[in-house]
Amino acid sequence: MNLYRKLAPFYNLALFYFVISSILRVVLFFHPITQSSFSFIESIKIFGLGLISDLFVFVIASLFLWLYLIFVSNSKYNKPWGYLILGAFIALFLYIVSGKSILDEYGGALPRIVLIFIGIKTIIFALLLFLPKHRDKIRFWLFAFVIFLYVLLILQNGLSEYFFWNEFGVKYNFIAVNYLIYTNEVIGNIMESYPVIPIFSALFLVTGGFTYFILKNSTAFITTIPSFTEKIKISVVYIGLFLVSLVAIPTLALTENSKNLFVNELQSNGLYKFYLAFQNSDLDYFKFYKTIPDDKAFAVLKQQLPTISGENTTRKIESDSAENHKNVVLITIESYSADFMKMYGNDQNITPFLDSLAQKSLQFTNLYATGNRTVRGLEAVTLCIPPTAGESVVKREDNKNKFSTGAIFKQKGYQVKFMYGGDAFFDNMRDFYSGNGYEIVDKSSFPPEEITFSNVWGVCDEDMYHKAIKVMNKESKENKPFFNHIMTVSNHRPFTYPNNKIDIPGDVKSRDGGVKYTDYSLKKFFSMASKQPWFKNTVFVIVADHCASSAGKTELPMDKYRIPAFVYSPGIKPEKYTQLMSQIDLMPTVFGLLHFSYESKFFGQDVLKTDYKPRAFIATYQDLGLIKDNILTILSPKQQVKQFELELNPKKGVAPEYQIYYYEKPLKQERTDLVNETVSFYQTASYLLKNKKYQK
């Protein structure tokens, strides 16, 4: 019984963690974004297996609590051990201060973090050594701080999981790992999107309250410090549970195998999901996915790209007309779903300018984004390659000197720039674009007088467009055509923008407002551009980078990848292209409109050519999909393959070419030809990147 009381810090914190995680599951279970109903068995899985998984995850997370408590003792302060230990702490502190420690080889903030930790440990140890009369009181407050920290982290994780679900409709994934890297932008985004001060004030108050009650029932460990024998018994129990947990957690994760994605997500433990995302940020296609022999993969690819030969995608693109070296302005719009626009069924009139411009443009009504992050959209229009597993090429180390749209324009004598209203360091955009021959114009290029409004993501779109007009006016005087790729920022949480521009105030932080302000800014841009001498000799390409949300009942919900895209130029006839196509096809099609002849490595194709075979690619960082013949084929890690028949779920009042909603019904009989074709696309793309054969 005495030993049981000594374990109170563990089981009281465990009980608290179970209560918070259960409440979180209930909240997410009924959250509006959880677009699903659940059977009794599914509910048992979510709450039953989910709770068991939480138990084992808590055991792993208690490692630091165990290490802290197991070293609580009075004997270590006896002479001479106390002075020897203090001397060792001081020596270690001085070693790190010297700047020549092994930590300095890693650079960054690591040496400073360790220095602060060792410094605090040294001071606390010295206080406990030299103030024996106050030792119990100091130890109590240290113990209280450790409990407070655990309670805070449990509550903070619960809040973080809720907000992440609110944004993406899933537990932690690869995006959460990325967000840890770009803390400045992400923390800034949180600060501007949510009432942070009230939330954190309440969080600290609630943490203090729960800490008080847990502390009240958990002090037995430090008021009567366990003997060495008791610590051995506690350690045997803990280490045993720890080892069982290492096996149990991944085993339980295997039961997350429902066809309903929401069941798997709600059953899972967020902390373990984060760990998996961190471990699997770099996914080797050939290790995790279904493969076929490389020669067969390229043979299947040749059926789609008939003029290639060997294990590459190199082929000649020949035009039968004279090349037209018009200026090209590519605008990728942040988080812009097709269903924001009137023609796709939206009745809120939040895109009046683009609705009107679309009618004057070459519209691509059935185009799909390759992914659900900006870097995927940028990769698609820049490299024109399917979205390979893991991180986008934009963010990989090997991201330079690739065969790109910019490289083609440079071959044709164009000036090539990437323009971004924020810091191009974010998402590795600066490294990627500068490494592929683009000049960078980003927030650092703006003098203070050119910035009228900015938030954590950068200057507002109006400011970016004013800057773009200035740059293009200067470029037009240099007797060389220009290609400028502009990435917008305003349609991004926190959705703040200048007031008194549209009928939705900029401080309301509304997504509809972000969409409408984006549309308003584009109207201002075209109004300014139309007055410039270069306007009539310019092709404007407008496309979203990805949809506003990626959450859905299935791994790859079709409507969450459908994006608007159109090409406008005074010399291009307005019409609709209604065939299925991918984001990677957009720029090769623009090259076709300009009658460019060039040697291509692109997987993307000119969809206006008679030999184009309609298909589209959609993917997350690990699920790789191909849409073709009204079937969605998905490749997943562990060599898994799924196929779904796509059945249109029509929306009343929307023309057939703008219908975006589909039921995804498991295919009863495998279409092996489509499986092989999907594998061939993704395997060959991965092969070329891995073997550095997609260089310019």
Side-chain angles (χ1 to χ4, degrees), residues 59 174 197 297 323 398 435 614:
V59 170
F174 200 34
I197 293 176
E323 291 190 358
D398 180 25

Side-chain angles (χ1 to χ4, degrees), residues 329-334 353-354 419-421 446 450 459-473 485-490 517-526 528-529 532 534 540 542:
V329 177
L330 168 62
I331 300 174
T332 44
I333 307 176
E334 173 67 47
F353 173 69
L354 284 179
M419 300 184 182
Y420 179 59
F446 286 69
E450 290 183 351
V459 303
C460 64
D461 286 354
E462 282 180 275
D463 290 346
M464 181 68 256
Y465 290 138
H466 276 105
K467 182 73 170 180
I469 294 291
K470 287 184 179 180
V471 170
M472 288 186 274
N473 282 342
H485 181 174
I486 302 172
M487 178 71 222
T488 75
V489 301
S490 289
Y517 175 72
T518 296
D519 186 79
Y520 167 86
S521 301
L522 274 165
K523 181 179 180 181
K524 291 282 295 284
F525 171 66
F526 273 87
M528 290 185 290
Q532 311 307 321
W534 44 263
F540 297 89
I542 300 173

Side-chain angles (χ1 to χ4, degrees), residues 415-683:
Q415 305 167 75
V416 175
K417 289 184 177 66
F418 175 70
M419 300 184 182
Y420 179 59
D423 185 346
F425 165 78
F426 183 71
D427 267 345
N428 213 40
M429 289 185 280
R430 177 181 292 278
D431 184 62
F432 173 70
Y433 279 105
S434 62
N436 284 286
Y438 289 68
E439 291 181 50
I440 307 293
V441 177
D442 69 353
K443 188 177 179 181
S444 64
S445 309
F446 286 69
E449 63 272 12
E450 290 183 351
I451 302 176
T452 63
F453 180 92
S454 66
N455 62 19
V456 66
W457 292 109
V459 303
C460 64
D461 286 354
E462 282 180 275
D463 290 346
M464 181 68 256
Y465 290 138
H466 276 105
K467 182 73 170 180
I469 294 291
K470 287 184 179 180
V471 170
M472 288 186 274
N473 282 342
K474 183 179 178 182
E475 288 175 324
S476 67
K477 297 175 182 177
E478 297 181 13
N479 296 318
K480 290 176 68 178
F482 55 76
F483 166 61
N484 291 321
H485 181 174
I486 302 172
M487 178 71 222
T488 75
V489 301
S490 289
N491 189 36
H492 195 298
R493 193 179 297 276
F495 307 116
T496 55
Y497 46 85
N499 279 316
N500 304 314
K501 299 291 184 176
I502 58 173
D503 56 7
I504 303 174
D507 46 17
V508 169
K509 300 179 180 179
S510 151
R511 182 179 288 281
D512 287 347
V515 172
K516 196 164 189 176
Y517 175 72
T518 296
D519 186 79
Y520 167 86
S521 301
L522 274 165
K523 181 179 180 181
K524 291 282 295 284
F525 171 66
F526 273 87
S527 176
M528 290 185 290
S530 65
K531 298 171 186 174
Q532 311 307 321
W534 44 263
F535 178 75
K536 291 183 179 180
N537 192 42
T538 301
V539 175
F540 297 89
V541 185
I542 300 173
V543 65
D545 62 345
H546 58 84
C547 283
S549 169
S550 59
K553 289 177 66 174
T554 59
E555 288 96 332
L556 300 175
M558 297 282 288
D559 57 298
K560 303 302 183 181
Y561 289 84
R562 188 76 165 267
I563 55 173
F566 32 89
V567 177
Y568 171 82
S569 180
I572 293 179
K573 179 185 175 183
E575 59 181 310
K576 296 177 185 177
Y577 180 82
T578 61
Q579 293 294 313
L580 175 68
M581 63 181 288
S582 172
Q583 204 174 18
I584 73 171
D585 300 316
L586 186 60
M587 293 310 293
T589 302
V590 171
F591 292 148
L593 291 169
L594 296 171
H595 305 296
F596 280 7
S597 294
Y598 59 101
E599 188 173 79
S600 176
K601 291 187 179 182
F602 295 141
F603 283 74
Q605 301 172 63
D606 180 353
V607 300
L608 302 178
K609 296 281 189 178
T610 55
D611 59 352
Y612 169 69
K613 298 175 182 177
R615 84 287 173 266
F617 306 95
I618 59 175
T620 64
Y621 70 95
Q622 63 177 6
D623 292 319
L624 311 175
L626 175 73
I627 308 166
K628 188 175 182 181
D629 294 348
N630 226 37
I631 291 171
L632 171 62
T633 305
I634 301 176
L635 308 179
S636 299
K638 300 182 181 178
Q639 291 78 41
Q640 293 183 51
V641 179
K642 298 177 185 177
Q643 287 187 303
F644 301 90
E645 183 180 1
L646 302 174
E647 181 182 312
L648 186 66
N649 178 19
K651 183 174 182 179
K652 289 183 179 180
V654 177
E657 63 268 28
Y658 298 118
Q659 294 286 351
I660 67 174
Y661 298 101
Y662 290 85
Y663 297 112
E664 297 180 15
K665 298 183 175 181
L667 202 62
K668 294 179 181 178
Q669 186 173 353
E670 182 184 87
R671 278 281 304 271
T672 306
D673 60 327
L674 288 179
V675 171
N676 286 338
E677 190 171 329
T678 306
V679 170
S680 77
F681 274 119
Y682 286 109
Q683 181 174 325

Side-chain angles (χ1 to χ4, degrees), residues 47-60:
F47 292 101
L49 294 180
L51 186 65
I52 296 171
S53 178
D54 292 344
L55 166 66
F56 291 116
V57 168
F58 179 80
V59 170
I60 300 295

